[in-house]
Amino acid sequence: MLRLGRREFGPHEPVIMAIVNRTPDSFYDRGATFRDEPALARVEQAAAEGAAIIDIGGVKAGPGEEVTAEEEARRTVGFVAEVRRRFPEVIISVDTWRAEVGAAVCEAGADLLNDAWGGVDPGLAAVAARYGVGLVCTHAGGAKPRTRPHRVEYDDVMADVLDVTVGLAERALALGVPRESIMIDPGHDFGKNTRHSLEATRRLDEMVATGWPVLVSLSNKDFVGETLDRPVKERVVGTLATTAVSAWLGAQVYRVHEVAETRQVLDMVAAIAGWREPAVARRGLA
């Protein structure tokens, strides 16, 4: 059972996490949701299309201008409070690696802290425990926040992913984060080259076998672009193919830009696997 905010999800119930970037320079939307009203409209649309979680980020993952903790909080805290007020049933996640920002957004109503940089600030898990919120434990290969990988090597990339993410999850549990609210994430592209991310996808069932719910953040990433030689705006098909494979292998939570398309892919995989009934079944029965 996965429990986040007011919601509970069964073991074969896929969950969509919609991305809402509160940054002027995000790699995909180029600041489309930096201002409040477009961002709130994005939340409303994502929820209507089937997203259970809204993931709010105040700093883009890649290199760029420095964003202080104060500026990150300015971009996220008030927005979290407004989303909480307008959309009380939505699960609010905040993508941050900083404990001080994590505490501020939890005070504002966040339900989940998405630590995409693999515990670089060990205080973030303690914040999640203090507020009783969920935590995403990610493998980033030891990379510093907002850096790109350079000639990264692993003897066995999945062995490293398992060692790091399960270790972070067990530490979070020991600190008091609710077990049913902890997820692990292989960290596609974070501290990895394209071949590493492909192997992590291919072996995703090994993460699922740990018993911790698995989150994947695949949406329009560089490993998809390099695999198909496609620019950022032409990676949706590759992303959805990777989503289908991840779903078949047992991932549960999907951090995405395209909510409606992802919902169809996940519903189709669930129906093929026998976890979901077809929405309509008239063929050959009339």
Side-chain angles (χ1 to χ4, degrees):
M1 180 67 68
L2 176 63
R3 182 178 292 114
L4 300 169
R6 302 179 183 182
R7 301 280 302 274
E8 292 184 353
F9 305 92
H12 294 303
E13 186 175 357
V15 183
I16 295 177
M17 170 190 275
I19 299 165
V20 179
N21 290 312
R22 302 288 290 152
T23 60
D25 52 357
S26 53
F27 88 100
Y28 187 68
D29 60 38
R30 303 297 181 187
T33 53
F34 185 47
R35 294 186 299 110
D36 286 352
E37 288 311 313
L40 288 166
R42 162 69 174 162
V43 173
E44 184 173 20
Q45 178 188 12
E49 291 178 345
I53 307 171
I54 302 297
D55 190 48
I56 299 163
V59 186
K60 78 169 186 176
E65 292 186 10
E66 180 186 2
V67 180
T68 64
E70 291 75 16
E71 174 61 17
E72 183 184 359
R74 189 190 70 80
R75 294 176 179 183
T76 56
V77 175
F79 186 71
V80 167
E82 185 62 13
V83 172
R84 180 82 294 148
R85 185 182 73 81
R86 294 198 191 189
F87 306 94
E89 298 304 317
V90 162
I91 299 162
I92 300 175
S93 169
V94 176
D95 181 350
T96 186
W97 73 87
R98 291 165 164 148
E100 58 194 291
V101 175
V105 297
C106 287
E107 288 284 349
D111 304 299
L112 174 64
L113 297 175
N114 181 10
D115 182 9
W117 289 102
V120 68
D121 183 344
L124 190 63
V127 169
R130 184 161 76 247
Y131 287 93
V133 303
L135 183 68
V136 180
C137 301
T138 307
H139 179 272
K144 294 180 180 179
R146 307 194 67 195
T147 61
R148 299 197 188 281
H150 179 69
R151 300 190 182 280
V152 182
E153 294 183 3
Y154 298 96
D155 291 333
D156 182 327
V157 66
M158 183 49 77
D160 203 78
V161 167
L162 291 171
D163 182 60
V164 170
T165 58
V166 171
L168 289 170
E170 290 176 346
R171 176 179 180 271
L173 181 63
L175 287 170
V177 181
R179 193 193 195 289
E180 64 274 15
S181 302
I182 299 171
M183 292 171 278
I184 58 174
D185 177 356
H188 289 81
D189 276 359
F190 280 60
K192 299 171 188 66
N193 61 32
T194 290
R195 289 186 175 86
H196 293 144
S197 292
L198 290 171
E199 182 172 351
T201 306
R202 188 162 57 247
R203 298 173 61 186
L204 204 61
D205 56 341
E206 295 177 41
M207 294 190 75
V208 174
T210 67
W212 297 100
V214 175
L215 179 150
V216 287
S217 183
L218 311 167
S219 196
N220 302 294
K221 283 195 168 178
D222 284 348
F223 83 97
V224 175
E226 288 194 355
T227 299
L228 301 177
D229 193 17
R230 290 290 185 268
V232 170
K233 292 297 183 179
E234 297 178 16
R235 298 176 183 176
V236 175
V237 173
T239 296
L240 294 176
T242 313
T243 298
V245 171
S246 300
W248 188 258
L249 292 175
Q252 185 166 15
V253 183
Y254 301 81
R255 183 177 181 272
V256 305
H257 296 98
E258 287 80 20
V259 174
E261 294 87 343
T262 302
R263 180 80 269 165
Q264 290 187 49
V265 168
L266 295 177
D267 286 350
M268 193 69 199
V269 172
I272 294 169
W275 303 327
R276 175 185 182 274
E277 290 296 316
V280 177
R282 292 188 292 260
R283 182 174 175 81
L285 300 176

